Amino acid sequence: MTNPSGPTVADIGEFPVIERAVRARRQPDSTLVGPGHDAAVVTASDGRIAISTDMLVEGRHFRFDWSSPEEVGRKAVAQNGADVAAVGARPTAFVVGLGCPPETPVAVLDGISAGIGEAAEEIGAGVVGGDLVQAGQVIVSVTVLGELDGRPPLLRSTARPGDVVALAGRTGRSAAGLALLLSGNRDFPELVAAHRVPTPPYAAGPAAAAAGAHACTDISDGLVADLEHICTASEVAIDLDSGALAPDTQLRETGRVLAADPWEWILTGGEDHALGACFPREVALPDGWRPIGVVLEGSGVTVDGQRRDGSGGWESFAAGAGH
Amino acid sequence: MTNPSGPTVADIGEFPVIERAVRARRQPDSTLVGPGHDAAVVTASDGRIAISTDMLVEGRHFRFDWSSPEEVGRKAVAQNGADVAAVGARPTAFVVGLGCPPETPVAVLDGISAGIGEAAEEIGAGVVGGDLVQAGQVIVSVTVLGELDGRPPLLRSTARPGDVVALAGRTGRSAAGLALLLSGNRDFPELVAAHRVPTPPYAAGPAAAAAGAHACTDISDGLVADLEHICTASEVAIDLDSGALAPDTQLRETGRVLAADPWEWILTGGEDHALGACFPREVALPDGWRPIGVVLEGSGVTVDGQRRDGSGGWESFAAGAGH
């Protein structure tokens, strides 16, 4: 862990740290009751609210020798915000559970809190509550709320044969960045940055819902793995067009330098937080979306009609996978 | 940790464990989109939603040699549910982040999930989403949503001199149960049960809001400590009447057996998840509430006009405090 000088959490206590985290943070109009009470109250204008939760663990989802505390906080917001965007919602509020050892410098928690607060503010959302507890490692547990603004929620279970599969954002960049960090190579800072702080195409989710998309998912476990979830839930197959997914110069060059196959990153790399959706063929794709395949009768994901070998993604507990 | 026989999380993987946690769990009408998508969608009928989050850590907030996994799950629901009750809301939905070592038996996670699911169902709420990650110890991070049903949210900052301070539920029982567990004494199973699974007076929060209470708080850190938060936020003082708080036979007897002062438990014991509120003097207290003091000009909490020595509660990181 980085070890900024200054007091630790044990030195100053729980309440002052929480106070520092919420002090002077602006709240959007959607925050009706902010921090400082037993619960916050936020708007849910159309009588519904979208909710998703994720937990990030030091040493597994982030490392302080690779990411600053601010970047860890920003990544937590991106990861959660993409989940509500994937159902067509607009992130409006975050609550944060932080666990850490008592010897954790307050500056680390201040950094995580600042990253969360700034990233939330940039997308128009508030940080409305939190909890700080003692734990054996740094844990960042984030829950996000999102407004659907009258749109139908996008599910994973409603893709139909004949739909166009489309992608918003890019895949493989976070995995390439992780490979660069693991190798010690620092020649491709944009890819390393994509791993440290993903930038989900937040507006693409609501735009897909407004356009009448049939199904949508966040690409967090890998393109093939996440589209497999749509296939399973919708009882369909998906065939991807390799021509629409081909690695750009940066990914090809990184693959050459690291003696790695950039297609692995593109098809199986996690944590890009792009969005994948299935649109009726007659719908004009909204801004930010490009076609990458088609929905067919059957099951599972193919690329150019070929079934991939291997797991097509990584699970949190699978031996040796991910980080 | 208890070590039931059977497979571990590493044996069967993340997705099957999550699948087991949500399978066959009934959802209330308030769950519009349940688990299985990137985010859930729940009702927020009056256009607002209350939200609160808490994190429980193995070895700090629970121990598997003292509590079953089911009890840990139930306690997490109680702790969170009381927070939204304290603003006058009715808990409707929970999301859960679970962290655990890969060698954790699946039966432990199944037990925690069952406890959360059953406790949520008993209060009419759904478990609508979750995340499972690898961590160095078992971490249960719960976020709750609550419906205000048109009621004004209860804050900590709106108590007024002249208000009646009232309590719903009892304090000191969880701390007495913890002291019994620490001593190895098993003669007062009701108090031990109160520590393992608090039973917050959920309906008392909405009832207080409907009756026009000025301020409310969950009693989680200790009666004096939590009422201090109301004093600080409202810029008032509170004087408690010892006659209204006197220990019952069980607490007196436990104090005698353990050579401890039951008043310490009543005034400073945490985790009872009773509710404390301030009502205008002219309001008839709703069912479940009894008067325990008055709001005065000034600052801080006194008992029979006397200021207490000591911290009046425990903080997560304070040396040697709590458990």
Side-chain angles (χ1 to χ4, degrees):
Chain A
M1 157 169 329
T2 54
N3 192 16
S5 59
T8 68
V9 176
D11 292 334
I12 77 169
E14 174 189 358
F15 289 121
V17 171
I18 293 175
E19 175 67 21
R20 290 160 73 103
V22 300
R23 189 202 310 155
R25 181 63 56 195
R26 272 182 301 177
Q27 293 290 341
D29 292 344
S30 54
T31 303
L32 303 174
V33 175
H37 308 279
D38 283 74
V41 180
V42 303
T43 56
S45 304
D46 70 2
R48 303 169 301 165
I49 198 85
I51 180 169
S52 184
T53 195
D54 276 306
M55 194 181 266
L56 283 79
V57 177
E58 179 186 2
R60 179 130 195 110
H61 302 97
F62 60 86
R63 288 171 47 169
F64 285 117
D65 53 341
W66 286 353
S67 299
S68 70
E70 288 78 3
E71 287 168 337
V72 171
R74 285 182 166 274
K75 185 170 183 169
V77 164
Q79 181 175 327
N80 254 250
D83 277 328
V84 293
V87 301
R90 180 172 53 83
T92 50
F94 292 85
V95 293
V96 181
L98 274 178
C100 71
E103 65 271 18
T104 305
V106 170
V108 168
L109 296 191
D110 284 352
I112 295 172
S113 298
I116 290 172
E118 288 159 14
E121 197 169 311
E122 284 166 14
I123 59 176
V127 180
V128 301
D131 191 23
L132 176 65
V133 299
Q134 196 175 127
Q137 65 207 126
V138 177
I139 312 265
V140 185
S141 180
V142 176
T143 300
V144 60
L145 298 182
E147 289 251 34
L148 285 158
D149 300 314
R151 293 177 295 271
L154 293 171
L155 308 180
R156 291 179 182 166
S157 51
T158 39
R160 296 286 171 268
D163 284 351
V164 172
V165 180
L167 184 69
R170 287 180 286 179
T171 68
R173 295 169 61 80
S174 177
L178 174 60
L180 287 163
L181 283 166
L182 284 166
S183 76
N185 186 306
R186 295 293 183 271
D187 288 343
F188 303 88
E190 274 180 49
L191 296 177
V192 171
H195 177 72
R196 286 183 172 138
V197 182
T199 52
Y202 293 109
H214 280 163
C216 189
T217 184
D218 170 37
I219 308 297
S220 54
D221 291 334
L223 180 61
V224 169
D226 285 307
L227 293 179
E228 290 272 9
H229 295 153
I230 286 185
C231 290
T232 302
S234 297
E235 299 182 353
V236 296
I238 285 177
D239 186 48
L240 296 175
D241 170 13
S242 65
L245 291 165
D248 64 10
T249 310
Q250 222 172 18
L251 282 185
R252 282 202 310 274
E253 183 62 15
T254 303
R256 194 188 59 72
V257 168
L258 300 183
D261 178 0
W263 280 104
E264 281 299 312
W265 297 328
I266 288 171
L267 295 173
T268 76
E271 303 195 342
D272 284 297
H273 300 292
L275 297 176
C278 303
F279 290 86
R281 194 183 289 268
E282 65 275 16
V283 162
L285 296 185
D287 277 355
W289 290 93
R290 61 197 171 89
I292 60 166
V294 290
V295 178
L296 305 170
E297 305 272 355
S299 65
V301 175
T302 51
V303 180
D304 301 339
Q306 304 293 308
R307 208 162 287 277
R308 282 180 42 78
D309 294 328
S311 79
W314 53 276
E315 289 192 30
S316 196
F317 288 93
H323 63 117
Chain B
M1 159 169 333
T2 55
N3 192 16
S5 59
T8 68
V9 176
D11 293 333
I12 76 170
E14 173 189 0
F15 289 121
V17 171
I18 292 175
E19 176 67 22
R20 291 159 73 103
V22 299
R23 190 202 308 154
R25 181 64 56 194
R26 271 182 302 177
Q27 293 289 342
D29 292 344
S30 54
T31 303
L32 302 174
V33 174
H37 307 280
D38 283 74
V41 180
V42 303
T43 56
S45 304
D46 71 1
R48 302 169 300 166
I49 199 84
I51 180 168
S52 185
T53 195
D54 275 306
M55 195 182 266
L56 282 79
V57 177
E58 180 186 2
R60 180 130 194 111
H61 301 97
F62 59 87
R63 286 170 48 168
F64 284 118
D65 53 342
W66 286 353
S67 298
S68 70
E70 287 78 3
E71 288 168 337
V72 171
R74 285 182 167 276
K75 185 170 183 168
V77 164
Q79 182 175 326
N80 254 251
D83 277 328
V84 294
V87 301
R90 180 172 53 83
T92 50
F94 292 85
V95 293
V96 182
L98 274 178
C100 70
E103 65 272 19
T104 306
V106 171
V108 168
L109 295 192
D110 284 351
I112 295 172
S113 298
I116 291 172
E118 287 160 15
E121 197 168 311
E122 284 165 16
I123 58 176
V127 180
V128 302
D131 191 24
L132 176 64
V133 300
Q134 198 176 124
Q137 65 208 124
V138 177
I139 312 265
V140 184
S141 179
V142 175
T143 301
V144 61
L145 299 183
E147 290 250 33
L148 285 158
D149 300 315
R151 292 177 296 273
L154 293 172
L155 308 180
R156 290 179 182 165
S157 51
T158 39
R160 296 284 172 270
D163 285 351
V164 172
V165 180
L167 184 70
R170 288 178 286 180
T171 68
R173 296 169 61 79
S174 177
L178 174 60
L180 287 162
L181 283 165
L182 284 166
S183 76
N185 187 305
R186 296 291 183 274
D187 288 343
F188 303 89
E190 274 179 49
L191 296 177
V192 171
H195 177 72
R196 286 183 172 137
V197 182
T199 52
Y202 294 108
H214 280 164
C216 190
T217 184
D218 170 37
I219 308 296
S220 54
D221 292 333
L223 180 61
V224 169
D226 285 307
L227 293 179
E228 291 271 10
H229 296 152
I230 286 185
C231 290
T232 303
S234 298
E235 298 181 353
V236 296
I238 285 177
D239 186 48
L240 297 175
D241 171 12
S242 66
L245 292 165
D248 64 9
T249 311
Q250 222 172 18
L251 282 185
R252 282 201 310 274
E253 183 62 15
T254 303
R256 195 188 57 74
V257 168
L258 299 184
D261 178 1
W263 279 105
E264 282 297 313
W265 297 328
I266 288 171
L267 295 173
T268 75
E271 303 196 342
D272 284 297
H273 300 292
L275 297 177
C278 302
F279 290 86
R281 195 183 290 267
E282 66 275 16
V283 161
L285 295 185
D287 278 356
W289 290 93
R290 60 197 172 89
I292 61 166
V294 290
V295 179
L296 304 170
E297 304 271 357
S299 65
V301 174
T302 50
V303 180
D304 300 338
Q306 304 293 305
R307 207 162 287 276
R308 281 181 41 79
D309 294 328
S311 78
W314 53 275
E315 288 193 29
S316 197
F317 288 93
H323 61 118

